[in-house]
Amino acid sequence: MIGCANLKCKGFCMLKGLAISPGYALGKAYCLKHFQLDNVPARSIGAGEIEAEIARFSYAIQLARDEISQLTRLPQIRNSLEISNIFNAHLTLVDDPDLKKEVVKRIRERQLNVEAVVSGVAKDYSDFFRSLPDPQFQEKAVDVMDIGRRILKNCQDKMHMPGFSDLKEGVIVIAEDLTASDIVSFDTTKVLGLATAEGTATSHAAILARSLGIPALVQVKNLIQVVEQGEFIILDGNTGTLVIKPLNDVVEEYRVAHAAFESRKADYRATLTQPSVTKDDVKIRLCANIGQPQDVDAVITNGADGIGLYRTEFTYLIRRRFPTEDELVDIYWDVVQRLDGAEVVIRTIDLGGDKISHLVGHVGEKNPEMGWRAVRMSLDRLDIFRTQLRAIIRVCARCDHGNVKILFPMISNLGELRRSKTFLGEVRAELASEGIVVENKIPIGAMIEVPSAAILADKIAREVDFLSIGSNDLVQYTLAVDRTNSKVAHLYQPTNPAVLKLLHDVIVAGETRECPVSLCGELAGDGRYTLLLIGLGLRALSMNAIFIPRVKHAILSLSIAEIRPQVMAMLELDTAEEIDTALSKLNAHYGLS
Ligand code: PEP
Ligand code: MG
């Protein structure tokens, strides 16, 4: 999409991958070789050494726990829900009783050194997760290897994690794959870019790279075979290109593009204090998505208008037991209070799909994305639903200004919506009989993330106070493309004409029924799509707070009267490629990328 488009004709080596974090990097390749867990030498130990080996293991675990806890306090981790979740999951893994039991058992039974046993157990667990069909477990396999390496490193004082600490200059890291721990272990000022042969756009490493603002590519074919240690390369995180042995004029072209990109980043930061209004004076609400109270810091620093999506399921995912009603009240109240009267849209739990909770017995579903999740699960487990709704209503009763709203996820028919609303009414009455009364209306919304809901948006809009389009799932279900599967990633097309048509229909339904529509999937935070979404008629977006400045920059540059006809014309195009080309041209016209 960005500059340097004439590269193809210049006859040097160019590899293609999937761009997962935008920007440019020009520098030397640093080819990272992980030590392999299966190459750890085994040594027999005598019966008298067993307890000492177990003690070394306990010490290594303790150290791993301390290291990870320290990582979770780093601002770049603390400020992002997604990243803190990764490391909280690592903490849970380090303390996994089965894993510990297995290591101790093998040290006793096989009488081997702790390093050999830890590497064996980590490898077996990881292979097990990798063999499961659910992509969520593939990521867990990577986490287990990550933890295994960390414990191993702590068993062997002299062995250190494949290291970035030794880097003397800025480099582009090249690896088969990277874990979240790899990335946080480096000094970010020394890493200009990341490219891996494996990985997906939604992997933990990808989320981290984006949050840290490091340009990155995944799934670069032949990467390891082609790139040599120390050679000069260029990484283009906008088009998914890696240029090897570039000619001087290409380097120059990229230097210009890189400088322009960096200065745009400065422009984005400058928008922080400005209201998000288009050139023709239309206010666009820019809200933030959060998953836990810690995320509120980033919401405030990035000047969000409110919280457009509070994903409440994370509270359930990071615990070993259900949160109590009082705990939930404390958590929600903390968020609401810090938002100081601004809107907070609390989505009821969307457990299931790629957020599998062992608390509710999700294991074993063949097709969890289409299975027992979100309101489907809540309406079957009214005990869990009641606790959450009671907590939300109690928070509404404390502030009672109508700015706390309730959003139901994965609505796929009107029956589900009506049952959810009726149950909410019953819980509210129950609380009123206990003296906890909400005087004002509590606004109710429905997520539009299943094609049936998009098709029925007009009917749904008549029964709710607002609609929120979940583009992540809407794209997935409309195109039948698993959003986490790298093999079909090229088919995950947010600009597929079918998706655009549904978006437009939902927006029109909202306008007709005077029911505000917002969009809260990843699309909302991707500045390349801002013109498209606003041109289609959206006036509210909700995204990871770190993306607000870039999106606001786009909004400040556009005039709806100008872009509207061009976006409407895109609805007539036949393919995602045609729409992408038209959108790139429109973005270029406004100096956006
Ligand atoms: C979506 O599907 O776009 C959405 C916001 O929900 P989640 O990503 O939590 O599934
Ligand atoms: Mg969703």
Side-chain angles (χ1 to χ4, degrees), residues 164-189:
F164 299 94
S165 46
D166 315 332
L167 297 178
K168 300 275 180 298
E169 58 181 331
V171 292
I172 298 172
V173 176
I174 302 293
E176 189 66 38
D177 206 352
L178 284 172
T179 65
S181 287
D182 290 334
I183 298 183
V184 289
S185 69
F186 56 62
D187 169 357
T188 44
T189 60

Side-chain angles (χ1 to χ4, degrees), residues 309 311 347 350 355 447 449 470-473 483 520-521:
L309 172 66
R311 291 182 166 103
R347 183 176 78 178
D350 180 4
K355 288 168 253 170
M447 288 283 291
E449 48 187 347
S471 54
N472 303 339
D473 278 320
R483 69 196 241 195
C520 63

Side-chain angles (χ1 to χ4, degrees), residues 4 29 81 91 110 116 178 272 280 330 405 452 465 506 576:
C4 305
L81 156 78
L91 274 179
R110 302 187 188 177
L178 284 172
L272 270 177
D280 45 354
D330 288 347
K405 304 179 178 180
S452 60
D465 302 296
V506 174

Side-chain angles (χ1 to χ4, degrees), residues 8-111:
K8 286 187 200 84
C9 42
K10 297 204 172 173
F12 44 76
C13 182
M14 203 173 79
L15 300 180
K16 282 306 255 182
L18 184 67
I20 49 124
S21 179
Y24 300 95
L26 296 90
K28 286 189 183 162
Y30 179 87
C31 301
L32 180 70
K33 298 252 184 306
H34 285 111
F35 63 80
Q36 298 302 319
L37 283 178
D38 40 9
N39 282 345
V40 175
R43 173 175 59 81
S44 296
I45 55 168
E49 290 174 86
I50 290 177
E51 293 313 317
E53 287 302 284
I54 293 174
R56 270 201 319 131
F57 173 60
S58 302
Y59 172 73
I61 292 262
Q62 175 61 39
L63 217 57
R65 195 183 299 119
D66 292 349
E67 286 169 352
I68 301 167
S69 303
Q70 258 176 28
L71 289 177
T72 59
R73 289 194 283 275
L74 290 175
Q76 66 264 40
I77 295 180
R78 217 186 41 215
N79 290 342
S80 160
L81 156 78
E82 285 167 304
I83 301 171
S84 9
N85 277 339
I86 296 167
F87 288 97
N88 285 329
H90 281 198
L91 274 179
T92 314
L93 259 179
V94 165
D95 280 325
D96 189 303
D98 294 337
L99 212 117
K100 280 189 197 158
K101 243 191 257 158
E102 187 60 27
V103 171
V104 172
K105 187 168 145 244
R106 286 196 200 179
I107 293 176
R108 286 193 197 290
E109 285 177 6
R110 302 187 188 177
Q111 299 207 344

Side-chain angles (χ1 to χ4, degrees), residues 76-340:
Q76 66 264 40
I77 295 180
R78 217 186 41 215
N79 290 342
S80 160
L81 156 78
E82 285 167 304
I83 301 171
S84 9
N85 277 339
I86 296 167
F87 288 97
N88 285 329
H90 281 198
L91 274 179
T92 314
L93 259 179
V94 165
D95 280 325
D96 189 303
D98 294 337
L99 212 117
K100 280 189 197 158
K101 243 191 257 158
E102 187 60 27
V103 171
V104 172
K105 187 168 145 244
R106 286 196 200 179
I107 293 176
R108 286 193 197 290
E109 285 177 6
R110 302 187 188 177
Q111 299 207 344
L112 287 175
N113 58 323
V114 61
E115 291 87 351
V117 170
V118 166
S119 66
V121 170
K123 202 170 165 310
D124 290 351
Y125 269 60
S126 172
D127 287 349
F128 167 72
F129 285 125
R130 225 181 285 277
S131 71
L132 299 174
D134 185 330
Q136 167 135 341
F137 288 117
Q138 312 289 325
E139 197 56 48
K140 195 154 176 168
V142 179
D143 286 341
V144 171
M145 292 303 262
D146 197 336
I147 290 295
R149 286 197 197 102
R150 187 178 287 285
I151 298 173
L152 204 52
K153 182 258 311 176
N154 292 341
C155 291
Q156 296 176 296
D157 283 334
K158 285 185 233 59
M159 183 189 273
H160 64 100
M161 296 283 269
F164 299 94
S165 46
D166 315 332
L167 297 178
K168 300 275 180 298
E169 58 181 331
V171 292
I172 298 172
V173 176
I174 302 293
E176 189 66 38
D177 206 352
L178 284 172
T179 65
S181 287
D182 290 334
I183 298 183
V184 289
S185 69
F186 56 62
D187 169 357
T188 44
T189 60
K190 301 267 172 56
V191 176
L192 307 173
L194 301 165
T196 61
E198 306 285 331
T200 66
T202 48
S203 70
H204 294 163
I207 293 169
L208 207 46
R210 270 197 296 277
S211 294
L212 294 171
I214 301 173
L217 312 181
V218 294
Q219 298 166 25
V220 183
K221 288 204 184 83
N222 300 322
L223 178 71
I224 305 300
Q225 296 83 333
V226 172
V227 179
E228 284 171 25
Q229 185 76 280
E231 74 177 326
F232 185 83
I233 57 175
I234 298 174
L235 183 150
D236 180 342
N238 302 291
T239 60
T241 310
L242 198 74
V243 192
I244 295 132
K245 300 187 179 60
L247 303 175
N248 287 345
D249 55 340
V250 174
V251 175
E252 199 38 48
E253 205 173 325
Y254 265 111
R255 286 204 199 284
V256 172
H258 178 54
F261 184 82
E262 291 304 311
S263 92
R264 271 200 302 273
K265 278 210 313 216
D267 290 347
Y268 303 157
R269 279 193 292 275
T271 65
L272 270 177
T273 50
Q274 295 174 259
S276 94
V277 177
T278 64
K279 278 210 158 87
D280 45 354
D281 228 17
V282 179
K283 162 80 185 154
I284 309 292
R285 279 182 66 72
L286 296 182
C287 291
N289 297 349
I290 69 158
Q292 52 189 2
Q294 292 93 299
D295 301 338
V296 173
D297 293 344
V299 174
I300 294 166
T301 33
N302 287 293
D305 289 314
I307 290 172
L309 172 66
Y310 180 178
R311 291 182 166 103
T312 54
E313 49 277 5
F314 292 105
T315 309
Y316 297 72
L317 289 174
I318 58 178
R319 275 159 207 258
R320 290 177 187 279
R321 55 165 181 80
F322 284 107
T324 65
E325 181 181 318
D326 285 346
E327 279 171 342
L328 291 176
V329 171
D330 288 347
I331 295 169
Y332 301 157
W333 179 239
D334 181 23
V335 171
V336 169
Q337 235 182 347
R338 288 165 68 203
L339 263 285
D340 198 20

